[in-house]
Structures are given as structure tokens and as C-alpha cells.
Amino acid sequence: MTTEKVVLMTTEKEVLQEARRLLSEIGWCQGHFVTDREFCIIGAICKALQETNASTFALLGNPPTGFTSWVDWNDAPGRTKEQVLEQFDRRIAAL
């Protein structure tokens, strides 16, 4: 029997660090928020928060120029896991 540890995140930085860990250690995907334990950029934040709300989408700030949302950016053809992790690193460093 496998159990998951539930940890309540208290700061934006902690949430983003946990979301980054999920992407790095478990996996990243495109086209879905979550698939067989892999996460997109927003799906990882939702998992770290244990919920989805308007603040979920604000944690990373505005999406890069040319994209209307982080979901569109995540799902862009040619996007890599490394690029996604770099976005987390930038935002975490800015907090």
C-alpha cells in the first residue's frame, strides 16, 4: 500500500518549489494537466496546492510574450521539460 504525504504549503515560494520537484522527479507532460502522475506546468502547481483556484494561474506571473496563458506556453510544439523547469527557477529566484 502506497501513501502520499500531504504537506500544506504556506508561501508562494514553497508551492513553486514543490511543483518544480514534481515536474523534475515525477514527470512533465503536454496536452493535459496530469497523466499517469505526469504534470503540465499548471497541473504541478495544482497538485502542490492540493486545489485549483484563480491564484493557481497567478503564481508564475504573466506568461512569456506571444502566449496568452501558461497552458499555451507549456503545450507549444518544441517545448522541453528543461524550459519548464527554467521558468520555475526564474520565478522562485525572484521571490
Side-chain angles (χ1 to χ4, degrees):
M1 178 179 184
T2 303
T3 60
E4 289 188 32
K5 182 179 177 183
V6 175
V7 178
L8 296 177
M9 304 292 142
T10 58
T11 68
E12 286 182 32
K13 189 171 189 173
E14 289 173 324
V15 170
L16 293 173
Q17 287 171 329
E18 174 61 9
R20 187 197 187 287
R21 184 194 69 75
L22 291 169
L23 292 169
S24 178
E25 295 178 10
I26 295 175
W28 169 73
C29 68
Q30 290 181 293
H32 302 279
F33 284 111
V34 61
T35 63
D36 295 335
R37 296 181 46 98
E38 292 180 328
F39 304 94
C40 79
I41 197 167
I42 297 299
I45 293 172
C46 292
K47 178 67 174 174
L49 282 171
Q50 297 294 314
E51 65 179 304
T52 303
N53 57 47
S55 67
T56 303
F57 298 92
L59 285 173
L60 286 170
N62 292 324
T65 303
F67 294 91
T68 58
S69 73
W70 281 106
V71 173
D72 291 340
W73 181 86
N74 182 88
D75 292 347
R79 182 72 56 226
T80 67
K81 179 179 177 178
E82 289 72 28
Q83 291 172 319
V84 173
L85 296 176
E86 286 171 8
Q87 288 296 330
F88 277 94
D89 292 341
R90 284 189 197 108
R91 182 67 178 146
I92 290 166
L95 294 176

